[in-house]
Amino acid sequence: MTRVKLFKALFLVFAAFDNAFSGTVRARETELQQALEALQERYAFPGATAAIVATDGVLTVATVGFADVENARAMAPDTMMLAASIGKTFVGATVLALESEGRLARSDRLSDYFEGELWFRDLPNARDITLDQLLHHTAGLPDHVYLPEFQQAWTTLAAQENDIAPTDLVTFLSDKAPLFEVGTAWSYSDTGYVLLGLVIEAVTGNAWQEEVQVRFLEPLKLLNTVPLDSRALPGLAVGYVARDNYFGLPERTADAGGRLLWNPTLEAAGGGFASTARDLARWGHALFEGEAMNAPYLSRLLDSVVITGGPPDSCYGAGVAIRRNTPWGSVYGHAGWVPGYVSSMRHYAEYGVTIAFQINSDIGFTESSSDRLQTIEAALASIALETDASEEPIE
C-alpha cells in the first residue's frame, strides 16, 4: 500500500470513529433531554438541570422549564441553584487535603483548636470529639437545624443582612445532652460540619470557602460554583416552596434579580455554595476518580461507617454518602436540600460515570415518605448507565 493510500485509509477509519462517537453523544443528549422533560411532566417542578460525565469523560447537559416562572426566564446550563449539603463534599475534601499537607490529622481532638473558646465549653461531648468523628457524623452532636430553639430563631436570623457567625449556630447546642458517646453510633449533624469549617479557618487563617476556592474550584475550573456569602447571586434560579412551608417563607424565595429573601450564610459549612448540575457532575467525577488532589486520598475519603437506621449497605465517609451492593454496584455522592432547591450528585464507581441534577423547588421532596429524589436518580442512571429504569432506586 502506498503512503497516500495508507493516509487515506487512516483518515476514513478516524472519520468513521468520529462519526460514531458524535452519534453516541447526540443520542445521550437526546435521551437525557427527553428524560428530564418526562420527569418535569410527572412531578410538575418549575425547572431543572441535569448533567452526566460518562465513562469516556464527555459531559452531557440538559435543561427544562423555567429558572423564574413569573418572568419566563428559561433554565440554562449555567443557571445556578443552591447546592445545600453537597457542600459537605468540599469540606471533607479540604480536611483531607490539609491532612495530606501535615497541617492537621483526622485523629486531632476538637479541643486542640478551641479549648479556650467560651462557646466550646458548653458543646456536647466537647473534649472527646475528633475531627474524624465530625467528618463521619459519629460525634454524638444534635443537629442545630432541627432544634426548637433554632426553629424559633429562624425568622430573625434569616432576616439579618450581615453574615451570621458560625459560632452563633454552634451555640444552639449549648448545654444540650449528647445523642450518644462519641464513636458509638451515627447521626447526621450540620453542626458538625459547621465546626469543621471553623477548624479549616483555624488551621489556614483563611475563610473555609476561600480554601475550597483555591484548592478545587479554580484548578478544576468550576466557574459557576460560588460561595453563599451574599443574598445577591446574579443568575440564580428562583426557588419555589409550598405555601405552608416549614420555614414560613413566601412561595417564591428570591426576587427577579436572584436576591434571596433569606440570609444564606445560615448554611455555613453545612452547605455554603450555589452551583450548577454541570459543575457538580464535573466535581463529583474528579473527586471520586481520584483526580481532585495530587496526594492520594480516595481510601481516606471512602473510609466509612454504617449509617444507623439507614438502608442496607448505606455508609458515610468523609463528607460522602455511600451505598454498596446496589443494582449498579457502589454509588458515592451526596444529596442537598434547602428551601426551594433540591440537588443530587452521584458517582457510579463501577461504570466511572457521574450524574448530577438540580431542581428549583422542594415541593414533594421533603416529606419523609417521598421517594421522588431516588426515583429521579434511578431514571437518569438508566440513561447514563444504559440499564433498566425499573431497577431499585438508591435510598
Side-chain angles (χ1 to χ4, degrees):
M1 180 181 293
T2 66
R3 183 174 298 180
V4 172
K5 289 182 178 179
L6 176 61
F7 285 154
K8 185 175 181 180
L10 289 173
F11 174 80
L12 292 173
V13 169
F14 288 133
F17 175 81
D18 184 62
N19 288 337
F21 180 75
S22 298
T24 300
V25 172
R26 285 194 297 271
R28 190 185 300 151
E29 290 174 345
T30 300
E31 290 179 0
L32 181 59
Q33 184 65 42
Q34 291 174 343
L36 205 56
E37 290 171 358
L39 289 165
Q40 186 197 32
E41 183 176 356
R42 177 177 179 180
Y43 293 122
F45 46 73
T49 60
I52 298 170
V53 179
T55 308
D56 52 24
V58 174
L59 177 71
T60 303
V61 182
T63 69
V64 69
F66 292 102
D68 184 335
V69 174
E70 291 77 11
N71 291 289
R73 175 162 61 98
M75 196 68 78
D78 60 354
T79 301
M80 293 186 301
M81 299 181 231
L82 304 195
S85 285
I86 294 178
K88 291 181 174 68
T89 62
F90 288 114
V91 175
T94 303
V95 170
L96 296 185
L98 290 170
E99 184 177 48
S100 296
E101 296 164 10
R103 301 175 71 179
L104 58 73
R106 286 170 295 154
S107 59
D108 289 348
R109 292 187 182 276
L110 193 61
S111 59
D112 295 340
Y113 300 91
F114 304 119
E115 181 69 51
E117 301 291 338
L118 291 176
W119 59 264
F120 177 80
R121 180 184 57 199
D122 299 322
L123 189 71
N125 284 340
R127 287 162 185 79
D128 300 320
I129 295 171
T130 67
L131 305 190
D132 193 65
Q133 290 159 348
L134 293 175
L135 282 169
H136 289 88
H137 298 296
T138 59
L141 294 176
D143 191 339
H144 70 274
V145 174
Y146 295 101
L147 292 175
E149 295 88 343
F150 178 79
Q151 294 165 8
Q152 292 164 11
W154 158 264
T155 301
T156 300
L157 290 170
Q160 288 185 21
E161 291 295 332
N162 297 327
D163 289 357
I164 295 164
T167 51
D168 289 344
L169 303 176
V170 173
T171 54
F172 281 101
L173 269 60
S174 294
D175 297 323
K176 294 288 185 296
L179 300 180
F180 46 80
E181 292 184 13
V182 295
T184 61
W186 185 92
S187 186
Y188 192 87
S189 176
D190 284 282
T191 320
Y193 272 72
V194 174
L195 289 165
L196 285 171
L198 290 170
V199 170
I200 292 169
E201 294 181 349
V203 170
T204 66
N206 300 318
W208 71 272
Q209 288 165 314
E210 290 179 17
E211 290 294 313
V212 171
Q213 184 87 30
V214 171
R215 293 172 181 279
F216 304 116
L217 303 186
E218 292 176 1
L220 295 172
K221 294 181 170 53
L222 303 177
L223 304 179
N224 290 304
T225 301
V226 300
L228 296 180
D229 54 8
S230 169
R231 291 180 184 234
L233 298 164
L236 182 76
V238 174
Y240 294 88
V241 296
R243 182 173 301 176
D244 57 347
N245 67 87
Y246 178 78
F247 294 95
L249 287 167
E251 294 172 76
R252 176 190 167 97
T253 64
D255 64 23
R259 190 176 189 276
L260 287 168
L261 302 181
W262 59 279
N263 191 329
T265 64
L266 267 170
E267 281 202 339
F273 290 94
S275 189
T276 64
R278 177 168 53 193
D279 270 12
L280 293 177
R282 291 179 57 226
W283 162 241
H285 202 73
L287 181 65
F288 297 118
E289 288 289 303
E291 299 169 356
M293 308 177 220
N294 291 327
Y297 65 89
L298 275 178
S299 61
R300 291 176 291 146
L301 180 74
L302 301 176
D303 179 29
S304 60
V305 299
V306 173
I307 294 177
T308 306
D313 298 311
S314 61
C315 305
Y316 202 91
V320 178
I322 299 170
R323 278 290 307 275
R324 308 201 187 272
N325 302 318
T326 77
W328 305 295
S330 294
V331 183
Y332 314 140
H334 219 292
W337 163 71
V338 71
Y341 305 91
V342 173
S343 300
S344 170
M345 181 264 284
R346 304 291 181 190
H347 180 75
Y348 298 81
E350 293 176 23
Y351 294 81
V353 171
T354 310
I355 306 171
F357 67 84
Q358 294 188 287
I359 296 171
N360 61 333
S361 173
D362 63 3
I363 297 172
F365 287 90
T366 58
E367 297 84 353
S368 59
S369 60
S370 175
D371 64 353
R372 188 171 295 190
L373 182 75
Q374 295 85 357
T375 301
I376 295 172
E377 289 175 345
L380 299 183
S382 71
I383 294 169
L385 310 180
E386 298 181 356
T387 59
D388 185 352
S390 65
E391 291 178 342
E392 176 191 351
I394 302 300
E395 297 291 341

